[in-house]
């Protein structure tokens, strides 16, 4: 089975894409948990944040920078937002391709479930 997020990043599987560059793609989560809920992925396959190496620091910076820019575009920058990445089983990760969740538009609780 091909990786669903690799397929979305390559444009072979449709998604509600809000940002795309050679390195990064962002799209709306199909099961949104907040008024704004976007996923920001590297187009290159990495299983999770645990896969990042020191030389991937520019990629991580790019992912966060895109998330921040999208927060501005979505109009949630001033009210605040959450960027989260789940890693592995206990982290609650269900899709094994690194992604940042960008969520906002409502008040969030802490700690998360
Ligand atoms: P996680 O549980 O942290 O791995 O997050 C995976 C997220 O991907 C979930 O919030 C899903 O709703 C979302 N998701 C899964 N498949 C798709 C898809 N084809 N398009 C958009 N979002 C998806």
């Amino acid at each position: 089975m091909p990786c669903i997020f690799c397929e979305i990043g390559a444009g072979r599987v449709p998604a509600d894409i809000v940002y795309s560059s050679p390195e990064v793609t962002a799209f709306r989560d199909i099961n949104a948990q907040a008024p704004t809920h976007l996923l920001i992925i590297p187009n290159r396959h990495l299983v999770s944040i645990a896969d990042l190496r020191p030389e991937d620091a520019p990629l991580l910076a790019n992912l966060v920078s895109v998330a921040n820019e999208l927060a501005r575009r979505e109009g949630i920058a001033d009210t605040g937002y959450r960027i989260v990445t789940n890693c592995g089983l206990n982290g609650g990760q269900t899709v094994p391709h690194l992604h940042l969740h960008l969520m906002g538009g409502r008040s969030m609780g802490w700690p998360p479930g």
Side-chain angles (χ1 to χ4, degrees), residues 15-99:
D16 190 352
I17 291 179
V18 294
Y19 177 89
S20 151
S21 75
E23 189 169 58
V24 172
T25 301
F27 49 97
R28 294 193 191 280
D29 196 297
I30 41 162
N31 186 22
Q33 300 298 313
T36 292
H37 187 170
L38 306 180
L39 302 174
I40 299 98
I41 65 163
N43 296 333
R44 171 162 71 93
H45 187 76
L46 293 163
V47 171
S48 74
I49 198 166
D51 261 10
L52 287 175
R53 296 166 184 270
E55 57 268 29
D56 295 318
L59 171 63
L60 181 59
N62 194 6
L63 290 167
V64 173
S65 160
V66 168
N68 285 335
E69 171 58 25
L70 290 173
R72 286 189 283 273
R73 283 196 210 165
E74 292 282 317
I76 59 171
D78 290 343
T79 46
Y81 50 94
R82 182 170 292 174
I83 295 172
V84 70
T85 186
N86 299 323
C87 178
L89 193 59
N90 279 359
Q93 184 177 10
T94 59
V95 177
H97 181 124
L98 173 62
H99 50 282

